[in-house]
Amino acid sequence: LLDRHQRLPHRLVQILRELQAHQGWLSREDLSLVAHALHLPLAQVQGVAEFYHFFHTRPVGQYRVLFSDNITDRLLGSEALLHDLCHRLKVEPGQLRADGRVSVTTTSCTGLCDQGPAALINHHQIITKLTPGRIEHLAALIEQQVPPAQWPTEWSRVDDQIRLADVKLGAQPAPGKGIAAAIARGPQGMLDDIKRSKLRGRGGAGYATGTKWQLCRNARGDTHYVICNADEGEPGTFKDRVLLSSYADTVFEGMTIAAWVVGSRQGLMYLRGEYRYLLEPLQAVLQSRREQGLLGKAIQGQEGFDFDIDIHVGAGAYVCGEESALIESLEGKRGTPRIRPPFPVEQGYLGQPTVVNNVETFCAATHIAVNGGAWWVRIGTPQSTGTKIHSVSGDCERPGIYEYPFGTRIGRILEDCGAHNTQAVQVGGPSGVCLSALEFGRRIGFEDVPTAGAFMVFNRSRDLFEVARNFAQFFAHESCGFCTPCRVGTELVVRRLDKLKKGYGSSEDVQVLYELDKLMHGATHCGLGAAACNPLRDTIAKFRPAYERHLTSLHFAPGFDLDAELSQARLATGRDDTGAHLENIA
Ligand code: SF4
């Protein structure tokens, strides 16, 4: 294993992942061995192993069952199913059973919200559409120690569920057509066309792709890298899963076109750990492209155009969707976001100029190479050109994948997916925006409602306080812990919401939530912390009765008398003057 990775320290995450797949967990002896072989301090290797949710430094059992804990899975009954399984297996949630065979717990979101409730087994096998019947059968298979590979195959079936296709999900260009068009234009000509298209990144930030490629192309370095961010971790987003499952050729072609423009010889795809089951199919597509001369040396006979792609599998850390954290992870480190500048286009992977784009962006680049920037710019709106793919889930008749030109009304999407009696839509996942029925006339686009792709529908029977609480738990779970406002702030938010849920809250707690939002928005190191209170802010402002139902008092009522509690201290110190009472302390 170590030799296959050439004992390179920046392969550490991959080495640990493969080692764990073999051993079941990462013992201290294993970590020491790896540290020694890579000439790294043990503390560093241990720090990496403890950072990622999918690495285990304690035994987790022969069967590790992770229920997807996204709100849409909860709406479909995932919590009751988890408890049913735990009851049948006689194991406490989150604990390892005494015989060391099985553990059952939750993970943030498996990217299967359109066919949940879903679970991940041993980090590489999925089960979709869980029912009480499947849970009963699953418990029996685990008790009989049947290997997951022998479980019913239909359990792991994942459908694309493409409900509406436009240019990106419609007919695909033949492999190599986009590359041929790019070669014909030359690197600068291709870059000019990407700029003409006004393509903006589909991962959420919406940065101009042409500008990013230009900056990387102009940056000085020994080598340049192209990275595909396939770490689709925002709960409620699963459109990249479909692009990677059925449109991988178009995605890899887009990476190759980017390599042609920026002068890169090496590409990397960062595949989220939850999509581990896609690794072999993706590698097969890469191999086929090599055999067709679309990867490797002298691509399409173009002397000097050498480029290949390697796939790196993540290990369960939402923060690695942030491009600098993703690069840290690719370098075998903890996924802590970097201080910027310098930006990755100047100093990215291994300190070299690096382009990082989302799966959907590379897909769009291929279509632009084939059809031209002028064609692309005619789709969508002047500020938001082209189409956007949406992952629709929640309370609707037809969850799945929908592709629309930018500028499409929220209400149109709700009509198409069969949503009725809709109370709210969460667009862009927990870090996005929660829209009330008054806003269903708004339009998808960078100028109005930007989105990375999640579209979660909640009807009027849903408690939006519970939705916000699920999102708060998600951010607390996924905070990387690097900066205090986020590490502590996200926990404080969860505690306040739990207090409200238990019926101990007052309007003072709602005010504190506002203050925490303000604090975190301005003081955190990266976007995760800054966005962590977005769902709270929106739901408190637009759905306040959902919170007021949980309030016992509209006025602040302290849980205890602090001044009275200090009486023992006053007694001990012999002081009981006015200055020793709280009300007199300025
Ligand atoms: Fe980590 Fe949160 Fe700070 Fe981002 S804001 S660096 S996720 S602790």
Side-chain angles (χ1 to χ4, degrees):
L1 170 67
L2 290 162
D3 288 341
R4 192 152 40 76
H5 290 282
Q6 300 166 302
R7 298 177 183 248
L8 294 169
H10 63 261
R11 302 291 301 173
L12 178 59
V13 173
Q14 297 311 290
I15 291 169
L16 294 180
R17 186 180 60 76
E18 290 177 30
L19 186 61
Q20 180 175 278
H22 187 261
Q23 311 279 81
W25 63 290
L26 298 166
S27 68
R28 195 177 162 82
E29 291 70 36
D30 288 333
L31 298 179
S32 301
L33 188 94
V34 171
H36 181 71
L38 303 188
H39 304 293
L40 291 173
L42 174 60
Q44 186 178 334
V45 174
Q46 212 156 5
V48 170
E50 284 167 3
F51 179 83
Y52 295 91
H53 299 308
F54 285 5
F55 287 157
H56 308 295
T57 51
R58 288 198 183 89
V60 290
Q62 186 186 344
Y63 298 91
R64 172 82 167 160
V65 184
L66 294 176
F67 278 76
S68 185
D69 197 28
N70 185 22
I71 184 67
T72 52
D73 290 276
R74 284 195 190 180
L75 298 184
L76 293 165
S78 62
E79 289 172 299
L81 293 169
L82 180 148
H83 289 293
D84 185 15
L85 182 65
C86 287
H87 176 72
R88 288 174 184 280
L89 293 171
K90 298 186 178 53
V91 61
E92 285 296 314
Q95 304 294 316
L96 176 64
R97 201 167 74 175
D99 65 0
R101 189 182 303 166
V102 59
S103 59
V104 181
T105 186
T106 57
T107 187
S108 291
C109 176
T110 52
L112 293 158
C113 324
D114 56 333
Q115 40 216 299
L120 199 56
I121 313 296
N122 294 349
H123 301 302
H124 71 269
Q125 185 157 328
I126 43 161
I127 307 183
T128 56
K129 297 181 181 168
L130 281 163
T131 59
R134 282 194 177 177
I135 290 293
E136 186 181 355
H137 193 174
L138 174 62
L141 290 171
I142 290 174
E143 292 297 18
Q144 291 157 21
Q145 298 196 56
V146 178
Q150 292 171 23
W151 294 356
T153 49
E154 69 270 20
W155 287 8
S156 300
R157 185 177 147 174
V158 180
D159 298 317
D160 282 351
Q161 304 218 102
I162 297 171
R163 309 285 188 176
L164 190 71
D166 202 306
V167 293
K168 288 200 287 271
L169 297 174
Q172 296 301 293
K177 199 170 173 190
I179 296 174
I183 291 174
R185 287 184 185 90
Q188 185 61 51
M190 187 63 242
L191 176 61
D192 291 343
D193 226 12
I194 291 287
K195 284 184 169 175
R196 199 171 299 124
S197 74
K198 297 189 187 167
L199 175 66
R200 293 171 70 170
R202 284 347 192 214
Y207 195 76
T209 306
T211 308
K212 189 181 265 191
W213 290 14
Q214 164 110 60
L215 289 167
C216 183
R217 179 175 157 78
N218 293 346
R220 293 199 2 209
D222 301 334
T223 185
H224 290 57
Y225 291 100
V226 171
I227 294 175
C228 177
N229 183 345
D231 192 41
E232 176 178 58
E234 190 76 39
T237 315
F238 47 87
K239 46 102 187 162
D240 289 350
R241 181 199 83 211
V242 174
L243 290 172
L244 296 166
S245 301
S246 302
Y247 300 81
D249 248 317
T250 311
V251 177
F252 290 137
E253 183 123 346
M255 291 178 70
T256 313
I257 292 164
W260 172 246
V261 170
V262 306
S264 166
R265 298 162 73 90
Q266 182 62 55
L268 295 142
M269 173 176 277
Y270 190 98
L271 181 69
R272 70 183 298 226
E274 290 80 351
Y275 293 168
R276 163 66 186 81
Y277 63 95
L278 292 175
L279 178 61
E280 285 80 15
L282 286 168
Q283 279 171 335
V285 175
L286 285 176
Q287 187 53 30
S288 159
R289 291 183 70 81
R290 286 183 196 111
E291 287 160 12
Q292 295 173 72
L294 302 175
L295 284 175
K297 292 220 172 292
I299 291 171
Q300 290 198 333
Q302 187 70 25
E303 213 44 54
F305 184 13
D306 306 339
F307 180 68
D308 212 326
I309 298 170
D310 195 12
I311 302 175
H312 170 118
V313 183
Y318 165 77
V319 71
C320 290
E322 196 277 342
E323 63 177 5
S324 68
L326 181 148
I327 290 170
E328 288 284 297
S329 181
L330 281 172
E331 292 182 356
K333 303 174 196 155
R334 296 161 68 95
T336 305
R338 291 178 178 174
I339 292 170
R340 297 179 297 176
F343 292 96
V345 286
E346 294 163 333
Q347 282 180 43
Y349 181 60
L350 302 178
Q352 300 299 321
T354 304
V355 154
V356 184
N357 277 128
N358 170 260
V359 171
E360 191 182 345
T361 314
F362 283 123
C363 200
T366 302
H367 288 277
I368 292 166
V370 171
N371 298 300
W375 162 78
W376 183 263
V377 90
R378 284 197 294 273
I379 309 167
T381 72
Q383 294 98 325
S384 309
T385 59
T387 64
K388 182 78 196 84
I389 305 176
H390 302 269
S391 319
V392 177
S393 63
D395 295 318
C396 61
E397 288 166 4
R398 292 176 293 281
I401 298 293
Y402 294 73
E403 183 185 11
Y404 293 96
F406 272 119
T408 299
R409 274 187 315 110
I410 302 291
R412 162 83 197 277
I413 305 175
L414 288 170
E415 285 156 26
D416 289 350
C417 72
H420 305 291
N421 211 13
T422 303
Q423 179 181 195
V425 181
Q426 184 75 27
V427 182
S431 59
V433 58
C434 185
L435 302 176
S436 73
L438 295 173
E439 301 169 279
F440 293 168
R442 291 179 65 182
R443 292 173 188 276
I444 297 289
F446 295 106
E447 64 274 39
D448 190 359
V449 184
T451 175
F455 192 96
M456 291 188 264
V457 183
F458 302 103
N459 69 26
R460 293 190 186 280
S461 74
R462 305 300 184 184
D463 181 355
L464 288 175
F465 169 81
E466 279 304 326
V467 173
R469 202 165 74 95
N470 172 272
F471 292 163
Q473 289 166 343
F474 163 76
F475 283 116
H477 184 252
E478 295 296 341
S479 168
C480 81
F482 174 75
C483 60
T484 310
C486 172
R487 184 181 65 248
V488 178
T490 51
E491 274 301 332
L492 289 177
V493 167
V494 170
R495 284 189 203 175
R496 286 282 160 175
L497 291 175
D498 286 349
K499 185 179 168 198
L500 287 170
K501 164 91 178 164
K502 286 178 190 152
Y504 298 135
S506 72
S507 56
E508 174 75 12
D509 294 292
V510 177
Q511 188 53 38
V512 170
L513 288 171
Y514 269 125
E515 281 160 21
L516 284 168
D517 170 33
K518 227 186 301 166
L519 180 119
M520 288 164 65
H521 208 75
T524 55
H525 176 60
C526 86
L528 186 150
C533 289
N534 286 2
L536 283 178
R537 200 182 326 120
D538 279 349
T539 49
I540 292 174
K542 298 173 190 175
F543 304 96
R544 191 158 180 117
Y547 286 80
E548 287 176 348
R549 274 195 289 276
H550 293 277
L551 302 184
T552 47
S553 161
L554 291 179
H555 306 290
F556 175 59
F560 68 104
D561 183 348
L562 183 56
D563 193 63
E565 294 295 318
L566 291 173
S567 60
Q568 290 295 320
R570 282 192 291 267
L571 203 62
T573 56
R575 273 193 69 185
D576 199 12
D577 55 284
T578 53
H581 286 267
L582 281 178
E583 66 265 26
N584 300 318
I585 297 173

